[in-house]
Every structure is written in C-alpha cells, then in structure tokens.
Amino acid sequence: MANAGGLHKRALTSLADHDGVLDEILARLPVKSLMRFRCVCNSWRSLISQSHFVTKHFTYASQGITESTSRLLFSTNPVESIDYEALKDLNDEDSHLAIRKLKFPVMFPDSSITTIIGSCNGLICIDVDQEGIVIWNPCTGEANVLPKRTDDCIPQFWGFGYDSTHDDYKVVRGYNYRVRGSKETVVQVFSLKSGSWRTHEGLGYFNLAGRGCLLNGVLHWLETTFTDYHPTGSRIISFDLGEEEFREMLALPYNACFSYIFTLGDCLSVYRLGFLHNETTGFRIWMMKGVKESWTEVISSESLPEEYELSLLTPLCILENGEVLMVKIDNYQSLVLYSPKEQIFRVVIRTQNKWKLDTAIYRETLVSPVTRRVADI
C-alpha cells in the first residue's frame, strides 16, 4: 500500500510537467481542498501561492466554475462561521452540526472582536479589542495587523473594500466634529498598498453611523434627515473608494425613514422595520437595480408574531429558497429565518450574548491580506 501511495503521489505531481493543465485542475477546486494540497509537494505549494493562480481561482469562483462556499462569520468567543445555505435544513437544536470554529490570528490569542469593519473578496477587516485593526482571511489563516492611528478617537462610522481603480484594499473610519461652531466630517483612510493612513477634511457634514455597505467599490450608509429636530426621512450617502470622496445616491423608494442598508446579490437593498417608525406593519425590503424607478419591493411582512413585535430584526441575506436570514435582538440574540411564503419565523441559532452579535458574510478565497494578491474584478 505504501508503494501504491507513492505511485499515486508521483502521478499527481507529474501533472506539473504538462504546461497549464495543473493550473486548470487545481483552480477548479474549493479552498479547503487547496489548503490540504499545499502539503503534496513544494511545487504545488508554490503554485497555489502564486498571484496568477489566486487570480484565476477567484475569477473561476466568481463565474461559478469553481465551488466557492459563502459563509457567515459570528463575532463570538471563540469566533465561529457557518455555511448559511445549510441553515435552511436546520433548527436551533441541530445547527451546531454546521458551525465551524475558526482559529483567530495567533497575534491575538486572548482578544475578542470588538467590531467587524467589513468584508470583501474573502478578507474580513476587524477591530480587535484594545489591540488595533487586522485584515484576516479565515480560510488561509493569513492576517495583517495595520499600524495604529495617531489618535484614540472612536469612529462613528466605518467600512472596508476593494478599490479596483488603484488595485488596493482600503479601510475607512469616519468622525463627526464641531469646529468653530460648525459641524464637520473627517475621514481616515488606510491604503493596504501604501501601508499608511491619510486624513480627509473639508468633506462637509454627514450624520453617518455604523458599517458601510459595500457594492462595486463604493461604501453606502443610510443618513436620517431631520426637520425641526424631528426625523423626516432617509437618504443614501456613499463614499467612493477610488476617488475617496462622498456623494449622495439616488432617492429612496419614498420619503420615509429606513432602518438598514445592505446588499442582495449585486443589488443595493434597504429595509424598514415598522415598529421603529410607529407603524403597525411588520417589515419591508426593497431592491434597487441602478435607477430610482427600479426600486422594487421584494419582501414584505404585514405583521409580526407577538414575540417579535418589539424585537430588532436586521436582514443579512436571502437564501436560495427565498427565506430571509435575520439577526433578532431582544433579551438574547439569535439568527432566525423568515419564510415570506408561509409568513413564519424559526430560530436556527441562539446565543447568550445580550450585547452584540456582529456578523459578516464572506466567500472562501485564497486572497492574501499581506501580499495584496487580488483578482481583476
């Protein structure tokens, strides 16, 4: 058997002699398999680490040629993730079967995630408690700790994404200041390419909060508008990672306050939870495909079950079967699935964290946070 194993290994490694064949075979395999195959021989390890191979693998995954699992990361302790499509067949009692514990970067053995700044191309940007910011690929284990800022201010809004114009990953942190009687928004941007922070001032004032929603190299936030100190509506404010400047997006479906902004596939989506706006309705989700007239209501709940009426519900994604995966926050936090067809909720993962359940959806890739190996997208 040992001799047969040796013959099998030699047969595999001999593929390297055929120009381009090995690339094509390996580039069609999932990341989990490639991480194991790096141990086959030095030439395979070198190939899987090369920039052109990472780009090919990412491109094939984007085109659906290569299997690439999308996962949901939990900022729990220990950090965990799950193939969220698997949730449709699970409930709270057996969801642990699909959960995978992740090895957090070794440079932070005793720290916990404070804030998930964002995710992009398989990389997750995290603010680690009292330690700083790290960009991490949970599939490969590679991590890059960013240089600390020169100030200790806590940002009001933040985001992370890929700037295709400059082939660069960028981290954004925003602050609102009162300067000589007027308000001003200041933004700090970290460029992975240059390895440094830079500050942008004189951008005007934007009342933004929380994580920016990334789509096509642009971060988006919902800003609440006020009249005589009363909230009257919302607008979408965007920050272009290439130009590093703000702009106002097209109008929302109608003049009202919205609760949350996120992406569904390649489309920007907004969400409105009724009880937050003194309404008796449940919640509604709209999707936009480029222009104002294309805002389309895709999910609606006319009412909520009694146990959900005063819960904060935040949508994460829509599964292939049409169910909406949401975070539910009340006395405890949990992940729930809502079926628009049956108008029912079911809990799939329950946590005991009463303070914060931060999440990020990421795709399994080989993209490196250290060498900036990125795909041409």
Side-chain angles (χ1 to χ4, degrees):
M1 291 297 292
N3 185 46
L7 290 173
H8 179 62
K9 182 175 179 180
R10 286 195 296 274
L12 287 173
T13 54
S14 68
L15 284 171
D17 297 332
H18 300 276
D19 187 33
V21 175
L22 184 60
D23 281 43
E24 287 298 321
I25 294 174
L26 294 183
R28 296 167 188 266
L29 298 179
V31 173
K32 186 176 181 180
S33 298
L34 293 174
M35 296 304 292
R36 294 199 305 266
F37 289 167
R38 291 190 308 175
C39 301
V40 170
C41 61
N42 289 334
S43 62
W44 280 37
R45 184 179 186 87
S46 175
L47 170 63
I48 293 170
S49 300
Q50 289 175 11
S51 178
H52 83 274
F53 180 83
V54 174
T55 298
K56 177 180 287 190
H57 184 271
F58 186 96
T59 302
Y60 281 4
S62 301
Q63 296 171 351
I65 298 173
T66 297
E67 177 187 344
S68 178
T69 303
S70 291
R71 303 190 65 85
L72 180 73
L73 178 138
F74 305 78
S75 63
T76 56
N77 191 8
V79 182
E80 298 174 329
S81 75
I82 190 169
D83 176 357
Y84 59 76
E85 282 292 343
L87 292 173
K88 62 181 181 292
D89 301 317
L90 303 174
N91 55 41
D92 188 27
E93 284 71 34
D94 56 17
S95 60
H96 68 279
L97 299 174
I99 292 176
R100 178 192 301 172
K101 287 183 171 59
L102 301 177
K103 292 183 179 180
F104 201 54
V106 294
M107 64 281 292
F108 302 120
D110 301 316
S111 300
S112 60
I113 295 173
T114 301
T115 301
I116 296 177
I117 295 174
S119 65
C120 177
N121 296 350
L123 301 180
I124 300 177
C125 184
I126 297 168
D127 196 340
V128 182
D129 183 27
Q130 304 300 318
E131 299 290 346
I133 294 175
V134 60
I135 301 176
W136 172 45
N137 184 327
C139 299
T140 65
E142 283 190 290
N144 189 352
V145 182
L146 308 192
K148 292 188 176 182
R149 289 83 55 200
T150 56
D151 59 79
D152 296 322
C153 296
I154 299 175
Q156 281 85 39
F157 61 94
W158 49 86
F160 170 68
Y162 177 60
D163 168 14
S164 60
T165 303
H166 302 98
D167 183 22
D168 197 6
Y169 285 98
K170 294 180 178 178
V171 180
V172 174
R173 291 164 51 92
Y175 311 80
N176 294 320
Y177 293 105
R178 291 185 178 273
V179 181
R180 293 183 293 276
S182 63
K183 296 179 180 179
E184 179 183 353
T185 294
V186 175
V187 172
Q188 293 179 338
V189 179
F190 179 83
S191 162
L192 190 59
K193 198 170 191 176
S194 67
S196 61
W197 291 91
R198 54 177 167 267
T199 300
H200 295 280
E201 299 178 339
L203 301 174
Y205 175 77
F206 302 96
N207 186 26
L208 308 180
R211 187 195 308 174
C213 166
L214 178 68
L215 183 65
N216 298 329
V218 179
L219 292 166
H220 308 273
W221 290 268
L222 278 177
E223 181 187 48
T224 301
T225 55
F226 292 85
T227 301
D228 296 330
Y229 301 101
H230 296 287
T232 56
S234 299
R235 62 176 181 165
I236 299 175
I237 299 297
S238 303
F239 186 81
D240 188 298
L241 291 174
E243 300 294 332
E244 297 190 5
E245 61 182 21
F246 285 104
R247 63 188 184 211
E248 183 176 350
M249 286 288 292
L250 297 172
L252 286 160
Y254 58 90
N255 187 26
C257 291
F258 289 81
S259 311
Y260 190 66
I261 185 168
F262 63 116
T263 57
L264 289 177
D266 294 327
C267 297
L268 204 61
S269 302
V270 291
Y271 163 80
R272 180 175 169 86
L273 181 59
F275 94 88
L276 290 179
H277 309 289
N278 300 315
E279 297 176 357
T280 57
T281 56
F283 64 85
R284 300 180 185 276
I285 296 175
W286 289 263
M287 181 185 296
M288 188 185 73
K289 295 184 179 180
V291 295
K292 176 182 177 181
E293 288 74 19
S294 72
W295 279 112
T296 303
E297 185 177 297
V298 292
I299 301 288
S300 66
S301 166
E302 295 303 324
S303 61
L304 293 173
E306 183 177 350
E307 65 268 29
Y308 285 79
E309 285 181 349
L310 297 179
S311 298
L312 291 174
L313 295 167
T314 303
L316 298 175
C317 62
I318 297 179
L319 305 189
E320 291 178 357
N321 65 356
E323 291 184 310
V324 185
L325 180 62
M326 312 180 82
V327 176
K328 173 179 176 285
I329 303 174
D330 42 32
N331 291 330
Y332 57 87
Q333 300 196 64
S334 56
L335 290 175
V336 300
L337 280 175
Y338 171 72
S339 170
K341 183 178 180 180
E342 300 174 352
Q343 295 272 308
I344 60 172
F345 288 86
R346 62 186 177 92
V347 176
V348 289
I349 296 177
R350 193 185 309 264
T351 76
Q352 299 303 315
N353 183 351
K354 295 186 178 182
W355 302 107
K356 185 178 184 182
L357 177 63
D358 212 354
T359 61
I361 292 174
Y362 68 97
R363 184 167 55 186
E364 294 185 332
T365 74
L366 294 168
V367 176
S368 171
V370 179
T371 62
R372 291 190 314 102
R373 292 192 298 266
V374 298
D376 185 16
I377 56 174

